[in-house]
């Protein structure tokens, strides 16, 4: 039997259900990108916030790519479970905040209508780095991106997240409403600013008046999101069946740790997230930079170096003494480039990250982290290298990680999972890579740092 509302009364006592009746929730949030991360992070926080302070915070979960998750959710009354795996403990919780699951390409107008619904006060996004259709090194809209071109030609039936946001905001403006707050929850530095700029650039290509209205009215707070959520496997789906006594095709697995820091800059009401541990702060940047450079930087380094050594998961790579030591050093290099973060002890943070990486309850595949390197490298590793160089130091482990990425791209050439795979496939020498502007930009200092470290064919 499939999980559904009727099963909520019959769950084993060890499984935590929603503390409210899912059927009674009214729409308040539209979420774009209904992948495993959102289901284990933002939706979970919203469930806990509604339990603490009831309110109309039902989520319309929209997938822009892939119908599997919306189909699975619709077949089970939009309920799904989170299996939280610690090194020794396993906990299960059913999440009931989704009120509707949509697969955007089937009915883009329905998505635009939900975005512009006066009940929608918050729009959240987890569309991954490449979902922003931007140039990673500059943060500018990639106007040549096929989805952006399609959305400019056909703005009422968008494909891209930016296209949907602008279509939704145009409808909000036409009705003289207040726009919802738009929260980017992806691992980009200053994700809110980046998204605001992309929306502004896209809107001005459509209608400068609309762009001006968005600049005045819409708010895009920055956020830092953190929870390790590997892709769900068949094994997880079969484990949840045994645990619940019901089949759940939309289950997600996550580590016990989670963190969400949001800039206090809302244009409309929001769930009482602060009551359930979300940090609402004046400035997210220090948290964001620390997380991107220490956690994600180390993740990418482990992925490229770990795969080359034949490891499959983060926990396996962390059990390799050479890579564990390299991870600690990389974190020290990154920490040395950061200004003090209020209330954050970077040494303790690093130690905690290493323990999280070593959690063998989570099978986080290195190949999943290795994906889309062109979109990830600048904020994860290149910033550390450039800042260390500017301060007269060097960051050898971060540089080794970049070298490992280059080796990975060369090795995987024919089957590289990266939106820029085609262009990357044409690069031959290391110098070709360093001159590849979408990733390395035009920062002469960064290039100098890499060449000085011996990462160059001609510089050696
Ligand atoms: C990972 C992140 O896949 C990746 O690139 O580095 O998804 C990471 O697990 C999360 O950012 C943790 O919060």
């Amino acid at each position: 039997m499939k999980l559904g509302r009727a099963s909520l009364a019959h769950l084993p006592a060890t499984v935590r259900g929603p503390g409210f009746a899912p059927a009674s929730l009214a729409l308040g949030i539209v979420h774009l990108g209904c992948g495993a991360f959102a289901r284990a992070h933002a939706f979970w926080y919203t469930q806990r916030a509604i339990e603490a302070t009831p309110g109309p915070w039902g989520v319309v979960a929209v997938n822009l790519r892939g119908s599997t998750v919306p189909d699975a959710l619709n077949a089970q009354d939009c309920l799904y479970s989170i299996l939280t795996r610690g090194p020794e403990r396993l906990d299960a919780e059913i999440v009931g905040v989704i009120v509707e699951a949509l697969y955007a390409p089937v009915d883009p107008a329905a998505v635009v209508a939900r975005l512009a619904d006066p009940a929608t006060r918050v729009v959240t996004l987890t569309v991954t780095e490449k979902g922003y259709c931007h140039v990673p090194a500059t943060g500018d809209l990639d106007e040549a991106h096929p989805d952006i071109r399609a959305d400019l030609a056909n703005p009422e039936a968008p494909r891209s997240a930016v296209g949907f946001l602008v279509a939704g905001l145009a409808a909000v403006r036409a009705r003289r409403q207040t726009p919802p707050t738009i929260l980017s929850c992806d691992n980009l530095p200053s994700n809110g600013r980046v998204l605001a700029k992309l929306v502004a650039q896209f809107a001005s290509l459509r209608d400068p008046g609309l762009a001006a209205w968005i600049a005045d009215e819409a708010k895009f707070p920055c956020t830092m999101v953190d929870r390790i959520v590997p892709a769900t496997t068949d094994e997880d789906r079969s484990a949840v069946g045994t645990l619940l006594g019901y089949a759940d095709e939309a289950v997600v697995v996550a580590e016990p740790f989670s963190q969400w820091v949001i800039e206090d800059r809302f244009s409309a009401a929001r769930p009482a997230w602060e009551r359930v541990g979300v940090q609402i702060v004046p400035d997210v940047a220090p948290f964001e930079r620390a997380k991107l450079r220490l956690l994600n930087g180390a993740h990418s380094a482990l992925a490229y170096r770990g795969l080359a050594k034949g490891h499959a998961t983060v926990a396996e790579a962390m059990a390799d003494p050479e890579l564990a030591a390299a991870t600690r050093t990389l974190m020290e290099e990154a920490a040395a480039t950061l200004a003090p973060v209020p209330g954050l002890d970077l040494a303790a943070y690093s130690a905690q990250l290493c323990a999280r990486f070593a959690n063998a309850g989570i099978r986080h595949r290195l190949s999943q982290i290795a994906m889309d390197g062109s979109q990830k490298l600048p904020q994860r590793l290149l910033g550390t290298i450039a800042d260390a160089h500017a301060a007269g130091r060097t960051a050898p482990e971060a540089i080794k990680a970049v070298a490992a990425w280059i080796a990975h791209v060369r090795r995987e050439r024919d089957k590289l999972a990266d939106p820029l795979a085609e262009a990357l496939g044409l690069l031959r020498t290391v110098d070709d890579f360093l001159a590849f502007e979408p990733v390395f930009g035009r920062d002469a200092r960064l290039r100098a740092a890499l060449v000085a470290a011996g990462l160059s064919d001609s510089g050696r």
Side-chain angles (χ1 to χ4, degrees):
M1 279 243 302
K2 275 189 201 303
L3 178 67
R5 281 190 193 139
S7 17
L8 288 178
H10 307 285
L11 294 170
T14 48
V15 177
R16 191 185 191 283
F20 50 84
S24 68
L25 268 191
L27 156 69
I29 300 177
V30 174
H31 182 85
L32 302 183
C34 191
F37 183 73
R39 281 177 281 148
H41 189 265
F43 300 175
W44 175 77
Y45 276 111
T46 298
Q47 163 138 314
R48 293 295 174 99
I50 297 170
E51 290 171 356
T53 306
W57 298 114
V59 177
V60 174
V62 180
N63 231 20
L64 305 181
R65 303 275 169 278
S67 58
T68 316
V69 174
D71 288 349
L73 287 169
N74 283 318
Q76 45 194 60
D77 297 333
C78 293
L79 297 172
Y80 68 91
S81 37
I82 303 177
L83 300 186
T84 303
R85 291 189 192 275
E88 270 120 42
R89 251 185 94 96
L90 168 66
D91 293 296
E93 174 165 354
I94 310 287
V95 177
V97 297
I98 302 183
V99 292
E100 189 181 21
L102 300 174
Y103 173 47
V106 169
D107 190 357
V111 177
V112 176
R114 298 303 180 279
L115 287 166
D117 191 313
T120 302
R121 261 79 48 77
V122 180
V123 176
T124 45
L125 288 95
T126 51
V127 293
T128 80
E129 294 87 343
K130 66 173 173 255
Y132 288 77
C133 303
H134 70 312
V135 181
T138 61
D140 281 319
L141 186 70
D142 179 2
E143 290 179 29
H145 193 292
D147 289 352
I148 296 300
R149 286 166 53 173
D151 290 358
L152 285 169
N154 197 2
E156 304 309 322
R159 291 183 195 172
S160 70
V162 170
F164 272 110
L165 291 175
V166 174
L169 288 168
V172 169
R173 177 183 179 227
R175 294 196 209 139
R176 301 173 186 280
Q177 290 160 203
T178 303
T181 306
I182 300 173
L183 277 181
S184 161
C185 302
D186 285 293
N187 287 316
L188 295 167
S190 305
N191 50 13
R193 303 287 177 280
V194 168
L195 181 57
K197 177 169 151 188
L198 297 169
V199 164
Q201 289 177 339
F202 184 93
S204 58
L205 292 170
R206 251 189 81 171
D207 167 2
L210 173 62
W213 178 85
I214 293 175
D216 286 344
E217 303 288 328
K219 299 264 192 307
F220 298 84
C222 290
T223 69
M224 182 273 249
V225 293
D226 189 9
R227 188 168 199 180
I228 291 174
V229 184
T232 309
T233 62
D234 288 340
E235 228 177 309
D236 301 326
R237 281 182 278 267
S238 100
V240 78
T242 313
L243 212 96
L244 302 182
Y246 295 96
D248 178 1
E249 291 293 319
V251 59
V252 292
V253 172
E255 64 168 341
F257 180 92
S258 80
Q259 190 178 10
W260 197 3
V261 189
I262 307 178
E263 183 186 11
D264 193 2
R265 208 164 167 266
F266 286 79
S267 58
R270 59 168 173 81
W273 285 317
E274 78 287 355
R275 293 204 53 196
V276 292
V278 178
Q279 296 156 267
I280 312 275
V281 303
D283 183 13
V284 173
F287 297 93
E288 200 173 47
R289 187 163 308 143
K291 193 251 171 174
L292 285 167
R293 291 190 181 182
L294 274 77
L295 188 159
N296 298 110
H299 249 178
S300 290
L302 279 168
Y304 301 122
R305 295 187 61 188
L307 286 171
K309 292 188 80 178
H311 300 301
T313 67
V314 174
E316 269 173 50
M318 281 301 281
D320 176 329
E322 184 199 356
L323 295 181
T327 301
R328 287 189 292 271
T329 309
L330 176 73
M331 288 180 187
E332 283 165 18
E333 291 171 6
T337 66
L338 301 176
V341 182
L344 185 62
D345 171 347
L346 288 173
Y349 184 63
S350 303
Q352 186 189 36
L353 290 178
C354 289
R356 290 169 60 195
F357 289 177
N359 174 4
I362 296 286
R363 287 190 52 78
H364 199 186
R365 302 197 72 78
L366 297 171
S367 55
Q368 184 186 350
I369 299 168
M371 277 170 52
D372 303 341
S374 69
Q375 314 291 303
K376 295 175 173 175
L377 239 56
Q379 61 272 22
R380 293 183 177 206
L381 294 164
L382 302 182
T384 295
I385 297 170
D387 287 351
H389 188 72
R393 291 189 311 272
T394 146
E397 287 300 337
I399 290 173
K400 271 189 212 161
V402 174
W405 172 69
I406 294 175
H408 172 83
V409 170
R410 288 172 156 170
R411 214 173 37 239
E412 297 286 305
R413 207 178 293 279
D414 302 325
K415 46 182 190 323
L416 186 70
D418 192 300
L420 301 185
E422 210 179 304
L424 290 169
L426 300 174
L427 308 177
R428 290 287 169 263
T429 65
V430 174
D431 285 338
D432 290 345
F433 275 88
L434 300 190
F436 187 64
E437 282 188 11
V439 174
F440 293 94
R442 294 180 188 191
D443 183 352
R445 286 177 323 151
L446 174 62
R447 201 182 139 73
L450 293 166
V451 172
L455 192 72
S456 159
D457 310 297
S458 53
R460 243 174 286 166

